[in-house]
Amino acid sequence: MTKAIRITSEEPEAIFQHRPVVATIVTAHAKGRDNALAIGLHTLISHNPPICGIAVMPQKFTYELIAESKEFGVNFMPFEEVKLVCAVGTSTGRKIDKFQKFNIAKEKSVRTGAPILEKAYAAYECKLIDDTGYGSHRWLVGDIVAVHWLKEVYTPENTLDLNKVNPILFLGRNLYLTASKDTISSIGQIIH
Ligand SMILES: Cc1cc2nc3c(=O)[nH]c(=O)nc-3n(C[C@H](O)[C@H](O)[C@H](O)COP(=O)(O)O)c2cc1C
């Protein structure tokens, strides 16, 4: 077997070694416009109270809408919607109305004006509490003020049921995959 070549660099440029990531659709409403973009850079920051963060480039139209409304939605889509993620992630709301062009159906939001997508299996409504620039992106932190989810796609233990829904994972370039239930392993505590 040939030995793996390990590269170490102290001058990393854009780095993508952490992929795959769950690809989400972030939404916003302001200036009389709904808009949506794909976001791979996101995380829950706090469980209690629930707080999440998303990294958005400041030149994106969605950033303008979030900066104005101080609200955003994070929508988790099933793998069947991968083409929609790609569509909203490769077009700009400056030129088109993505909701009209891609025929995106909405659910009612309850605490914000940010659109919640009908096809999402889960979604967070967020109120912006911080907006700080780090390099190429703005790190937008939001209090999660409402959560929507489809009860039947979660197990009684509150984990996503991969028999019912498959999340969208983004590998980079134009490559997407999903998580397979065949690879699920239940790992207990390992005591040394
Ligand atoms: C899978 C995927 C993930 C993306 N992740 C991010 C991201 O985390 N942050 C970001 O600013 N742009 C991200 N983008 C790019 C934006 O979605 C894209 O530039 C979009 O067209 C911006 O739309 P807007 O100008 O209407 O806001 C991603 C694109 C794709 C396809």
Side-chain angles (χ1 to χ4, degrees), residues 35 38-41 55-57 60-62 89 91-93 98 170 176:
N35 198 47
I39 289 286
L41 300 173
V56 185
M57 295 178 110
K60 305 298 173 189
F61 183 54
T62 312
S91 58
T92 177
K98 298 188 201 182
F170 177 55
Y176 297 85

Side-chain angles (χ1 to χ4, degrees), residues 31-66:
K31 307 175 199 279
R33 291 282 314 275
D34 282 333
N35 198 47
L37 88 169
I39 289 286
L41 300 173
H42 62 87
T43 186
L44 193 70
I45 299 171
S46 160
H47 290 167
N48 188 14
I51 301 173
C52 72
I54 59 172
V56 185
M57 295 178 110
Q59 58 270 34
K60 305 298 173 189
F61 183 54
T62 312
Y63 174 71
E64 249 178 59
L65 301 188
I66 297 173

Side-chain angles (χ1 to χ4, degrees), residues 34-188:
D34 282 333
N35 198 47
L37 88 169
I39 289 286
L41 300 173
H42 62 87
T43 186
L44 193 70
I45 299 171
S46 160
H47 290 167
N48 188 14
I51 301 173
C52 72
I54 59 172
V56 185
M57 295 178 110
Q59 58 270 34
K60 305 298 173 189
F61 183 54
T62 312
Y63 174 71
E64 249 178 59
L65 301 188
I66 297 173
E68 183 164 317
S69 63
K70 309 262 185 289
E71 295 175 345
F72 60 92
V74 185
N75 296 268
F76 298 90
M77 310 303 289
F79 197 67
E80 290 75 21
E81 298 301 318
V82 67
K83 285 193 175 149
L84 179 63
V85 169
C86 184
V88 299
T90 53
S91 58
T92 177
R94 277 185 220 290
K95 294 201 176 140
I96 55 163
D97 178 339
K98 298 188 201 182
F99 278 77
Q100 203 167 52
K101 172 125 189 167
F102 305 129
N103 210 5
I104 306 175
K106 295 186 280 181
E107 285 288 337
K108 204 169 154 354
S109 344
V110 290
R111 292 285 307 280
T112 66
I116 295 305
L117 306 190
E118 190 188 88
K119 293 281 170 62
Y121 62 82
Y124 302 152
E125 288 184 52
C126 305
K127 295 256 190 205
L128 188 70
I129 56 170
D130 193 26
D131 174 353
T132 303
Y134 292 101
S136 51
H137 288 62
R138 305 292 303 180
W139 181 236
L140 307 181
V141 178
D143 269 333
I144 301 174
V145 291
V147 183
H148 307 246
W149 73 96
L150 299 181
K151 188 170 183 292
E152 65 271 21
V153 307
Y154 289 87
T155 66
E157 292 77 37
N158 254 337
T159 60
L160 197 61
D161 186 344
L162 295 181
N163 288 304
K164 307 275 176 56
V165 72
N166 299 113
I168 301 176
L169 304 179
F170 177 55
L171 197 56
R173 313 292 290 186
N174 55 355
L175 303 174
Y176 297 85
L177 68 151
T178 190
S180 156
K181 65 176 167 29
D182 306 331
T183 62
I184 294 177
S185 310
S186 173
I187 317 280

